[in-house]
Amino acid sequence: MKSNKWMKDMTFKEKVEYIWDYYKIHIIVGIIVVAIVASFVNSILTNKNYVFDFSMIGTSINFDKEMNFQNTITKELLGTDKGKNQALVEFYMLTKGSDGKFQLDPTSVQKLMVKISAEEVDVIALDKDNFYALGNQGAFLNLDTVKNLDLSGLDTEKLPASKDVKAGTYGIYLNKDNKYLDGIGYDYHDKIVAVLSNSKNKDLSVKFLKWLLDIK
């Protein structure tokens, strides 16, 4: 009863300070619990199921336009009735090493290799050196084996036969003007685009190549 009289005689500010002094632990814990629950609910409602991954290695890209490009790819590959399915676009920055050559930093190399090993990358655009480094290990799909993919008139890159690779066409040069890649500021000229041999979504990968390169 006495404490109630104190509360009655207190100003609003004094009441707030009193409650905070005696119940701040409970309040903080409550806020944390609410935040965790809200985050969990939000992750469920907004969770995306990435069914296609286009990765790019280069020196420049407009990150502000990358998301719009990703949404465009999603619409082209999956249509408007896509549910939570989503295409993913990822960029890996090349930086100059001590020898003056452009190269991926160790963290980017590790991330990319883990994703490729986990069969999470479907199509990749990269420079010639990295194309051969990965291609000679059997990382890419032989495009000569893909039905309904007309490579005539395209500047392609072949790989010779080796222990892990059958001789054939494994990449397509991005030398022609490309409105989609120009739109995101990607330095695509002299880069090669290839499909990963362990891609789980080869049909979408071929569909993407046809769309990106305007192959009829």
Side-chain angles (χ1 to χ4, degrees), residues 87-148:
L88 178 64
V89 173
E90 292 198 291
F91 178 72
Y92 298 84
M93 179 75 76
L94 289 170
T95 56
K96 274 190 177 181
S98 56
D99 57 359
K101 294 183 179 180
F102 283 102
Q103 59 189 19
L104 283 174
D105 64 88
T107 301
S108 294
V109 171
Q110 184 179 27
K111 178 183 177 181
L112 182 59
M113 292 302 100
V114 167
K115 292 200 66 176
I116 290 176
S117 299
E119 304 177 353
E120 294 180 3
V121 180
D122 298 295
V123 178
I124 189 169
L126 67 178
D127 56 281
K128 192 171 182 178
D129 288 342
N130 281 305
F131 171 81
Y132 272 98
L134 290 171
N136 288 328
Q137 298 178 47
F140 302 132
L141 176 69
N142 187 340
L143 299 179
D144 294 329
T145 65
V146 179
K147 296 180 180 180
N148 302 318

Side-chain angles (χ1 to χ4, degrees), residues 2-202:
K2 193 174 181 181
S3 60
N4 289 337
K5 185 178 183 302
W6 289 350
M7 290 289 288
K8 184 178 179 180
D9 293 338
M10 286 180 180
T11 64
F12 176 76
K13 181 180 179 182
E14 289 172 334
K15 289 178 181 179
V16 171
E17 290 176 346
Y18 175 84
I19 292 172
W20 175 250
D21 287 339
Y22 285 91
Y23 299 102
K24 59 183 175 184
I25 299 299
H26 301 80
I27 293 172
I28 292 173
V29 171
I31 292 173
I32 293 174
V33 170
V34 171
I36 292 174
V37 171
S39 177
F40 177 72
V41 172
N42 182 65
S43 66
I44 293 176
L45 295 176
T46 62
N47 184 40
K48 300 293 184 180
N49 178 35
Y50 293 112
V51 298
F52 177 80
D53 182 303
F54 176 44
S55 294
M56 297 175 287
I57 296 177
T59 58
S60 65
I61 194 173
N62 186 328
F63 290 104
D64 292 334
K65 296 183 178 180
E66 186 179 5
M67 183 58 67
N68 287 334
F69 182 51
Q70 179 173 289
N71 292 336
T72 299
I73 294 174
T74 299
K75 183 178 179 180
E76 289 294 328
L77 297 186
L78 306 176
T80 54
D81 187 21
K82 58 185 176 54
K84 292 185 178 181
N85 292 336
Q86 176 79 46
L88 178 64
V89 173
E90 292 198 291
F91 178 72
Y92 298 84
M93 179 75 76
L94 289 170
T95 56
K96 274 190 177 181
S98 56
D99 57 359
K101 294 183 179 180
F102 283 102
Q103 59 189 19
L104 283 174
D105 64 88
T107 301
S108 294
V109 171
Q110 184 179 27
K111 178 183 177 181
L112 182 59
M113 292 302 100
V114 167
K115 292 200 66 176
I116 290 176
S117 299
E119 304 177 353
E120 294 180 3
V121 180
D122 298 295
V123 178
I124 189 169
L126 67 178
D127 56 281
K128 192 171 182 178
D129 288 342
N130 281 305
F131 171 81
Y132 272 98
L134 290 171
N136 288 328
Q137 298 178 47
F140 302 132
L141 176 69
N142 187 340
L143 299 179
D144 294 329
T145 65
V146 179
K147 296 180 180 180
N148 302 318
L149 182 63
D150 185 6
L151 300 176
S152 60
L154 298 174
D155 186 6
T156 59
E157 185 68 18
K158 298 181 180 295
L159 289 174
S162 65
K163 178 182 177 182
D164 300 313
V165 179
K166 181 180 179 180
T169 305
Y170 287 86
I172 304 172
Y173 276 98
L174 296 170
N175 286 328
K176 295 182 179 180
D177 290 340
N178 189 292
K179 62 181 180 181
Y180 304 113
L181 300 180
D182 281 333
I184 58 172
Y186 176 52
D187 56 318
Y188 63 90
H189 289 288
D190 294 325
K191 297 291 193 304
I192 301 172
V193 64
V195 177
L196 275 297
S197 59
N198 65 351
S199 167
K200 295 179 180 178
N201 309 294
K202 290 185 175 62

